[in-house]
Amino acid sequence: MLEPAYQADVVVVGAGLAGLSAALRLTSAGVTTAVLEAAPGVGGRMATEKVDGFRLDRIGQLLSTAHPELRRTPGLDALVLRPFAPGVLLHSDGRRHRAGAVAGAGGARSARGSTRGALHVVRALASAPRSAPRPPVPKGAVPRARTGAPLGTPVDQVRLDAALARLAQLPVERLLSRPELPAGQALAARGLPARTVDGFLRPLLAALLCDPELTTSSRCADLALRTFAAGRLCLPEGGADMVPELLARALPPGTVRTGVRVTSVSTTAVTTAEHGVFRCRAVLVATDARSAAELLPGLRVPDFHPVTVVHHTTDDPPATGTSLLLDADRGGPVAHTAVISRVDPSRAPAGRALISSTVLGSPPDGVDTAVRMHLARLYGTSTARWETLAVHRTAEAVPVMRAPHDPRRPVRLLAGLYVCGDHRDTSGPEGALHSGHRASTAILRDLGATGSMHQADPLSTTQAA
Ligand SMILES: Cc1cc2nc3c(=O)[nH]c(=O)nc-3n(C[C@H](O)[C@H](O)[C@H](O)COP(=O)(O)OP(=O)(O)OC[C@H]3O[C@@H](n4cnc5c(N)ncnc54)[C@H](O)[C@@H]3O)c2cc1C
């Protein structure tokens, strides 16, 4: 039997968001593609554990309705985003205060008229339990003073809302042309009231960037804040793994091969630990940064932010509705927490509530006990009878984006050799999807693909069992 000269036009190494989204764009253009994934399933870091009717994300992921790639990526039409209540709830001096709600409400409104993904958000909004969000402040009105509010005076709060609204409208290029400093330093230099910075912006940015020290590039921090201001924080219905699952389902059957570890790559072939050599016309390395550097020596490996997610259940959940709760006083290890099953009821069995809390940085010894004590203060209720479902620790969760950070690192290394993943863009799902988009565009250009390429089933002729 004659073997074809190559078994797929493109071999993609890694079935995380970056690899799957690139593969979908390639197959949509008629380019035969094989995705080889070392793990038993797809999704990479976007993993969800299923335990006794609970869906427990390994990540404390905060998506936004304003993430453009979530709406642009083919295959995600069916993704349902479950929104948190507008803005965030800040815990300070034993009280809770809503902040950033004007921006969040605006985001939900603007989502209504836009793309398909947004329609799913609106449906979810209609059915989600409500938590009495603070209504938008009418133009010119001054909100009532709130004693001990972490945001400063009512005038400070009106200014903050106006600044967020302006930020939501600012073109991305303008943000990316601003001077670049560590985010913490940039905040201190912006002339904002200290209470606004310490009581709202620092805890919010720490949560959005998974960076408690705010060493992240101020440009990346501005992008994160812009996304917060332009949309609503949300979760994928069913768990974080729904995003990669939907992408994988949209690929031609047999495209993804799991349990296949790639050990070396060239411009025309990949070698695997278990199934020999796959020949191809181009290789896209879509792994995490450390694995990418093993396959492509010389590629930079960034530092990483560790993240720990602790999941609890109770039959008597606190009354914070669908809000995301942040500690403005930083009085314990929890950066953010929510009664996740109120935001997305599919994540817990009937009669039980799921409370998920995220700890940033290295977790303390006895993290569950420390988290319970902190949650008791944040929610104002005893957590002694809450049951711990899981403690997920990931040391290399999120690539650090220190200044100067290039959010558009090259994805084309050579004609025939490409790399994508969150480490080539901005850390997080949006950056992973966007890097996959850029890499697939470069490959299609190099292959001169216009829609009808090599049509053989890439996996029927491979050496993989
Ligand atoms: C605990 C945690 C919390 C997080 N919190 C946030 C957050 O709050 N906000 C945020 O924006 N982002 C967060 N993230 C980051 C976000 O999940 C990632 O940025 C995103 O999922 C990265 O997708 P990716 O496709 O680039 O890489 P990955 O998801 O890492 O996918 C790479 C894939 O390549 C496979 N692979 C590796 N080596 C090989 C090989 N040799 N052969 C074959 N396959 C291989 C891996 O098994 C994996 O499936 C968090 C991540 C974690 C783990």
Side-chain angles (χ1 to χ4, degrees):
M1 293 278 289
L2 285 179
E3 285 202 351
Y6 51 86
Q7 294 144 328
D9 291 316
V10 181
V11 171
V12 176
V13 185
L17 288 191
L20 290 170
S21 65
L24 202 47
R25 289 179 188 277
L26 293 169
T27 54
S28 303
V31 172
T32 59
T33 304
V35 181
L36 306 182
E37 166 58 51
V42 301
R45 278 169 277 167
M46 297 281 281
T48 303
E49 194 185 348
K50 280 97 182 169
V51 180
D52 298 337
F54 292 95
R55 290 159 187 255
L56 310 176
D57 283 357
R58 289 201 69 84
I59 62 176
Q61 195 79 236
L62 301 172
L63 298 183
S64 166
T65 57
H67 276 147
E69 287 296 326
L70 275 183
R71 302 196 302 263
R72 268 187 221 142
T73 304
L76 295 183
D77 312 46
L79 182 68
V80 177
L81 298 175
R82 307 289 312 198
F84 287 95
V88 292
L89 211 51
L90 287 161
H91 181 270
S92 177
D93 293 335
R95 301 182 60 188
R96 294 191 289 262
H97 317 265
R98 187 161 299 284
V102 174
R109 270 200 307 275
S110 69
R112 204 163 268 136
S114 59
T115 62
R116 10 170 241 256
L119 290 176
H120 291 295
V121 178
V122 173
R123 272 185 222 128
L125 267 175
S127 58
R130 297 189 65 80
S131 65
R134 185 176 293 280
V137 181
K139 210 174 166 187
V142 175
R144 267 185 303 136
R146 279 166 274 157
T147 320
L151 295 176
T153 67
V155 172
D156 291 337
Q157 293 170 49
V158 171
R159 282 196 185 127
L160 173 67
D161 288 339
L164 287 173
R166 275 199 306 278
L167 188 61
Q169 303 299 325
L170 210 61
V172 169
E173 299 69 39
R174 287 270 300 281
L175 284 187
L176 294 181
S177 66
R178 285 180 172 182
E180 197 177 17
L181 289 170
Q185 276 182 36
L187 281 180
R190 291 238 166 111
L192 293 163
R195 291 192 66 128
T196 308
V197 172
D198 293 332
F200 174 63
L201 290 172
R202 283 184 188 277
L204 176 66
L205 279 173
L208 296 177
L209 301 166
C210 297
D211 174 11
E213 309 303 328
L214 292 187
T215 57
T216 300
S217 148
S218 54
R219 289 182 187 162
C220 299
D222 282 346
L223 281 177
L225 212 50
R226 180 184 183 276
T227 306
F228 171 81
R232 275 278 277 276
L233 295 177
C234 58
L235 300 170
E237 185 176 270
D241 69 351
M242 281 311 294
V243 186
E245 282 293 339
L246 287 170
L247 293 174
R249 273 184 224 160
L251 285 165
T255 303
V256 181
R257 184 60 65 96
T258 55
V260 182
R261 174 166 293 282
V262 171
T263 53
S264 71
V265 298
S266 73
T267 54
T268 53
V270 305
T271 305
T272 69
E274 305 85 354
H275 303 292
V277 175
F278 283 66
R279 287 182 306 282
C280 54
R281 300 172 65 206
V283 174
L284 171 59
V285 175
T287 66
D288 54 282
R290 192 172 296 286
S291 308
E294 281 163 18
L295 295 171
L296 301 164
L299 211 68
R300 151 195 169 279
V301 182
D303 292 333
F304 293 89
H305 295 299
V307 177
T308 304
V309 184
V310 184
H311 296 285
H312 291 108
T313 182
T314 172
D315 52 10
D316 183 20
T320 48
T322 57
S323 296
L324 183 75
L325 178 57
L326 272 57
D327 187 4
D329 300 337
R330 283 178 281 176
V334 176
H336 58 88
T337 178
V339 183
I340 291 291
S341 52
R342 288 230 174 89
V343 183
D344 174 8
S346 75
R347 295 186 184 219
R352 305 294 296 172
L354 172 65
I355 297 120
S356 301
S357 311
T358 297
V359 175
L360 303 176
S362 301
D365 292 340
V367 62
D368 184 37
T369 307
V371 165
R372 275 170 190 268
M373 287 169 65
H374 195 188
L375 292 180
R377 286 200 299 282
L378 292 176
Y379 286 114
T381 186
S382 169
T383 56
R385 292 184 54 248
W386 289 14
E387 185 189 334
T388 305
L389 293 168
V391 178
H392 291 147
R393 285 194 189 94
T394 309
E396 299 198 343
V398 181
V400 169
M401 298 186 284
R402 277 197 196 93
H405 178 79
D406 179 1
R408 301 290 175 267
R409 283 180 197 281
V411 289
R412 180 183 188 273
L413 303 179
L414 295 168
L417 194 56
Y418 310 82
V419 59
C420 66
D422 59 352
H423 56 105
R424 306 308 292 172
D425 213 279
T426 49
S427 305
E430 172 70 8
L433 290 170
H434 191 245
S435 72
H437 191 166
R438 290 194 291 130
S440 56
T441 304
I443 294 170
L444 290 173
R445 195 182 306 123
D446 283 353
L447 292 181
T450 52
S452 69
M453 297 289 297
H454 174 62
Q455 289 300 314
D457 174 354
L459 293 166
S460 64
T461 54
T462 61
Q463 296 159 27

